[in-house]
Amino acid sequence: MANTVLNNASLSTVETQQSGSLPQDIIRRLLWKLSIATLLLMAVGSATRVMNAGLACPDWPLCYGEFVPAAQMNFQVFLEWFHRLDAAGIGLGTIALVGLSGWYRRELPSWLPWASLFALALIVFQGVLGGLTVTELLRFDIVTAHLGTALLFFSTLLVIGCLLLPYQGTGNVGKLTGISMTAAILVYFQSILGALVGSQWALHQCLGSSQLCTVMNSHIIGVVPPTLATLTLVIFAWRTSALHPLLRKLANMAGACLVAQILLGVATFYLRLQVEPLTVAHQAMGATLLGTLICFSTLALRDQQLSVISQQ
C-alpha cells in the first residue's frame, strides 16, 4: 500500500514538473496553512492548560451559551474561546480539503481523496475529544488523547503536503529513511509522555508530595532514545554526500529543534513550570521537531522510491 502511494506520488511529481497542476498547487497551499494553524492550535491548547483556562468556558461547543461571550470575556476565557475558534477553522479547512480533492480528483493522485477523508476523520474525532475534555472536567487520559490525535492530524497534513511537493530526489538517502522514521516515532511517543506529565501536573506533584514521580521520571528518561535517534540522523545527513539540499536543510532544522527542545525542557523543569511561556514553547518545539522529522521521512521515502523506479 505504501509503495503504491509513493509510486503514484512520484509519477504525479514528474507530471507536475512537466505540465503543472493548479489544483495540486491550491491543495498544497491549503495543507501548509492548515499545518501552521494546527501547530498554533496545539500551542494555544498548551497555554490554555498551563493558565488553568481549560474550563474557562463551562459548556461546549458554545461558551457561556454564546458564540462570543463578550460579557464574561477575560484572558482565560479568551484562551479557551480562541482555542475552539482555531479548531473550528481547521475543521472547515479540512472539509474544504476533502471537497477540493473530490472535485478535482481526475487531476490529482488517486490516493489524495482517501488521505483527505482520513484527515477529516481525525479532526472529527479530535472535536469529540475536545468536547469530552470539557464535559469530563479535564480527565487526564482524554487530555492526553486530545494532544495525541492533534499530533497525528498534524503529521497527516505534513505527509500529504510533502507527497504533493515537486520533489526530485538524488537517490542517496541510504539508511537515513529508517533513522528518520524511528526518530519521528520516538518523538511522538515522548510527546505523549509529556502530555501525561502535563495533564496530571506530575512535576508539581512529584516535587511537592513525591507523587506521580514514575510518570515524571519516565518522561525524563524517555528523552534519551529520541535524542540519540535525531542526533544520529543529523550526523549521518552531514556525512552523506550528494544528499538533496532540502533533506540536508530539514536534518539541520531537526538538530536545531532538538537543542532548543532540550534547553526548554531543562529550563521548564528547574523553574517548576512557573514561567508559562517556557512550558508552551516546550510543547510547540516538540511538535515542530516531530513535523520536521515527518517531512524528512516522507521526502526520504520518495527519494528512495524514485531511485528504485529509475533503476527499473
Side-chain angles (χ1 to χ4, degrees), residues 90-91 94 115-130 145-146 148-157 160 188:
I90 292 171
T94 308
S116 301
L117 283 172
F118 177 70
L120 180 60
L122 284 175
I123 201 65
V124 169
F125 183 58
Q126 178 72 344
V128 172
L129 288 174
H146 190 49
T149 306
L151 288 171
L152 187 57
F153 175 73
F154 179 57
S155 300
T156 300
L157 295 176
I160 299 172
Y188 178 81

Side-chain angles (χ1 to χ4, degrees), residues 46-273:
S46 176
T48 301
R49 179 181 58 78
V50 299
M51 296 297 295
N52 292 312
L55 297 176
C57 293
D59 49 346
W60 188 90
L62 298 176
C63 186
Y64 289 96
E66 298 178 340
F67 179 71
V68 182
Q72 295 82 11
M73 189 66 74
N74 56 34
F75 183 65
Q76 288 183 312
V77 172
F78 175 79
L79 278 176
E80 175 62 12
W81 173 80
F82 184 77
H83 182 63
R84 297 184 188 186
L85 182 66
D86 190 12
I90 292 171
L92 292 174
T94 308
I95 292 172
L97 174 66
V98 172
L100 289 170
S101 300
W103 183 262
Y104 292 111
R105 62 186 179 280
R106 290 185 177 85
E107 303 172 55
L108 297 168
S110 59
W111 53 265
L112 184 55
W114 297 105
S116 301
L117 283 172
F118 177 70
L120 180 60
L122 284 175
I123 201 65
V124 169
F125 183 58
Q126 178 72 344
V128 172
L129 288 174
L132 289 174
T133 298
V134 175
T135 59
E136 295 297 322
L137 304 179
L138 306 180
R139 215 174 76 186
F140 79 91
D141 51 345
I142 297 176
V143 172
T144 302
H146 190 49
L147 175 62
T149 306
L151 288 171
L152 187 57
F153 175 73
F154 179 57
S155 300
T156 300
L157 295 176
L158 293 177
V159 168
I160 299 172
C162 288
L163 286 175
L164 294 178
L165 275 177
Y167 173 84
Q168 184 69 44
T170 62
N172 293 312
V173 291
K175 298 178 181 179
L176 291 176
T177 306
I179 296 172
S180 63
M181 292 179 68
T182 300
I185 292 170
L186 290 172
V187 169
Y188 178 81
F189 283 109
Q190 177 66 0
S191 298
I192 298 300
L193 275 175
L196 281 171
V197 171
S199 61
Q200 298 181 83
W201 298 96
L203 176 58
H204 288 94
Q205 297 210 46
C206 182
L207 295 175
S209 58
S210 297
Q211 295 179 349
L212 295 179
C213 288
T214 301
V215 176
M216 186 66 241
N217 292 333
S218 296
H219 183 56
I220 294 174
I221 296 171
V223 169
V224 177
T227 298
L228 292 177
T230 305
L231 286 176
T232 301
L233 174 67
V234 174
I235 293 170
F236 273 60
W238 286 346
R239 299 180 61 182
T240 302
S241 60
L243 186 66
H244 193 285
L246 182 53
L247 288 179
R248 197 175 299 281
K249 183 181 293 185
L250 286 170
N252 291 334
M253 284 179 59
C257 287
L258 176 66
V259 172
Q261 179 70 343
I262 291 174
L263 291 175
L264 286 169
V266 171
T268 300
F269 178 83
Y270 281 104
L271 292 174
R272 301 192 177 192
L273 302 179

